[in-house]
Every structure is written in C-alpha cells, then in structure tokens.
C-alpha cells in the first residue's frame, strides 16, 4: 500500500508505484509496466536457478494480452531450448484492456501457443479455486523435478474494467452478471459452508478482521514519509549510492 501511495516505506521506496512493485526478500521479482516485459526476466531467473543447481521454480504470471508480443515467443523458446524451470501462468480474462482475445490473438485457446515450443500445456478453470491450486501445484512440482518449462492457461473473467479510466462499455451486462455469479471466492465460501467447515458467523468475523487490517495498512501508508527530494537519484543504479557518493544528486 505504501508503494501505491509513493511512500519511502514502500517495497520500491515509492519509486515504482503500482507498475513496479518488487521485493527480493519475498522472492517477488516484480511487476512491470511494459506488457510482457517480465517474461524475458523470468527466463533469466530460470537460468540462474539452473546455473546454481537449485531446486527452485520461477512462476511467471501474465495476462492474455502479453501472449501477443514478441518477447512472449522468444521467452518460451529459450526456456525450452535451455530446459529452464519456469512455469508460465496466463490469466486469460478474455480481454486485453477493451479488446477481446479473439480480436487480438490468432489463436484464441492460448495454451495452444505453448505447443509450438513443445511444452506441456494445460487449460484450467480459473474460476475454480481448488482446480487452480491443485493443478498448478502439480505442474510446479513436475517442473521442479525435471527442470522443463510448462504452461498453464487459467480461464477467468475481469469483474471491472481494465483500470479506473475504462468505461467498460465493450461487454454485455448478461456476461458480466453470469461471471459475477460464478465469483470463485463466493463459490468457495459456499463450498466451505456446505461441508460444515465454516458458517456465516465465521465469514462475518473474518471480513471484519480483514477490513480492520486493511484500514490499518492504509493508515500506515498515509502516515509514511514521502521520499526526500535529495534522494531523487537514489536506486537508479545498484551500487551508485553506496560506492559513488559523488553521484548524489543536488537538491532540486
Ligand atoms: C508493450 C505494451 N503495449 C501496450 C501497453 C498498454 N497496455 C497496458 S495493459 C494492456 C492490456 C494487456 O492485456 P492483459 O494482459 O490481458 O490485461 P487486462 O486488460 O486483462 O488487465 C495494454 C495494451 C503496455 N503497457 N505495454
Ligand atoms: Mg486480459
């Protein structure tokens, strides 16, 4: 939240905002403003894992829109050629901004694109929480075991427009309503209720707890300091600040 608010306490010290969150300690290798720009970085991550003979897997998530850019194809190709432990996870919510998948992609079943790179590739119901968890962990473990890249396409739907400036006029009210009803979070709540593992009271309390936590987080972000103007050029290069103090910026 502090990063979203552009505060010094954010994961990228407020320099990244919503487009460039990054936290190496959490092994979260970042979100990127260029659609699909992180796919080649995932190849680099996979290469590092292999080079260091680790048993890690790089898990790379992207939207349907990213599968139409050149870097997508280069990345899948290299991951396969070098047998890198990368799981490609495509969130196909059927639209890239306001453009339907069929209007932007020659192949609407996106999982088929990975077949061109001789990769195991599956299409799953992204609206089914358990299917996503079970099938994804299965694929991740396979990749951990044999260091071969694999591909998952999760079919889902975006409940709101692409962003706050999207008037969302390109989808029918019926479609929106149909998918709303299939909200995976609500469906899973019902499943837990039916199986007797949780009841209405449990969810009510849980919601209250989460609301309180989010409010606290927002307050923390609100009260956090802004980055200092003197630090304008800090973090531009990895070793700049520590080793080259002469590059410190003058106050603007
Ligand atoms: C290389 C590049 N081209 C265009 C854009 C503008 N842009 C931002 S998001 C987006 C749509 C991406 O589609 P998808 O990944 O399916 O995201 P969704 O709309 O479903 O959130 C586009 C075209 C961009 N950020 N980078
Ligand atoms: Mg999309």
């Amino acid at each position: 939240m502090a990063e979203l608010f552009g505060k010094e306490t954010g994961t990228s010290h407020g320099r990244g905002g919503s487009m460039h969150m990054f936290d190496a300690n959490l092994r979260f290798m970042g979100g990127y403003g260029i659609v699909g720009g992180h796919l080649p970085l995932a190849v680099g991550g996979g290469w590092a894992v292999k080079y260091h003979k680790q048993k890690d897997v790089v898990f790379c998530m992207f939207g349907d829109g990213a599968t139409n850019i050149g870097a997508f194809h280069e990345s899948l190709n290299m991951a396969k050629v070098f047998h890198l432990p990368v799981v490609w996870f495509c969130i196909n919510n059927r639209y890239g901004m306001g453009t339907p998948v069929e209007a932007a992609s020659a192949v609407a079943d996106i999982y088929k694109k990975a077949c061109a790179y001789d990769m195991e590739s599956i299409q799953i119901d992204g609206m089914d929480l358990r299917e996503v968890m079970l099938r994804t962990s299965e694929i991740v473990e396979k990749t951990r075991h044999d260091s071969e890249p694999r591909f998952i396409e999760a079919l889902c739907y975006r409940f709101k427009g692409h962003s706050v400036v999207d008037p969302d006029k390109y989808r029918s009210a019926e479609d929106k309503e149909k998918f709303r009803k299939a909200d995976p979070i609500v469906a899973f709540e019902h499943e837990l209720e039916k199986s007797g593992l949780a009841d209405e009271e449990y969810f009510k309390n849980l919601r209250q707890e989460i609301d309180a936590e989010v409010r606290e987080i927002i307050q923390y972000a609100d009260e956090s300091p802004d980055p200092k103007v003197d630090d304008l050029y800090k973090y531009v290069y990895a070793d700049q600040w520590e080793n080259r103090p002469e590059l410190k910026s003058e106050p603007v």
Side-chain angles (χ1 to χ4, degrees), residues 90-182:
C90 176
I91 304 149
N92 181 1
N93 58 11
R94 294 155 212 260
Y95 291 85
M97 284 188 152
T99 309
V101 167
E102 313 79 64
S105 178
V107 177
D109 279 326
I110 287 170
Y111 77 98
K112 290 183 183 162
K113 292 184 177 180
C115 301
Y117 303 101
D118 198 18
M119 235 176 252
E120 181 181 348
S121 182
I122 60 170
Q123 189 182 53
I124 61 174
D125 179 0
M127 303 290 280
D128 182 333
L129 191 140
R130 279 203 297 180
E131 176 166 338
V132 174
M133 280 174 64
L134 294 174
R135 299 203 61 199
T136 300
S137 16
E138 199 179 292
I139 288 280
V140 166
E141 288 319 314
K142 271 182 167 174
T143 288
R144 197 189 305 283
H145 182 72
D146 66 5
S147 188
E148 285 293 339
R150 290 185 170 77
F151 194 97
I152 303 173
E153 175 192 6
L155 289 170
C156 56
Y157 195 75
R158 182 171 6 86
F159 291 157
K160 296 201 170 176
H162 170 84
S163 70
V164 284
V165 292
D166 178 354
D168 195 8
K169 295 262 167 60
Y170 44 86
R171 308 183 296 174
S172 72
E174 294 78 45
D175 250 19
K176 279 190 233 178
E177 182 57 21
K178 185 180 95 188
F179 282 104
R180 263 272 183 222
K181 280 196 185 131

Side-chain angles (χ1 to χ4, degrees), residues 29-40:
M29 305 315 281
Y32 298 88
I34 301 298
V35 169
H38 60 304
L39 274 65

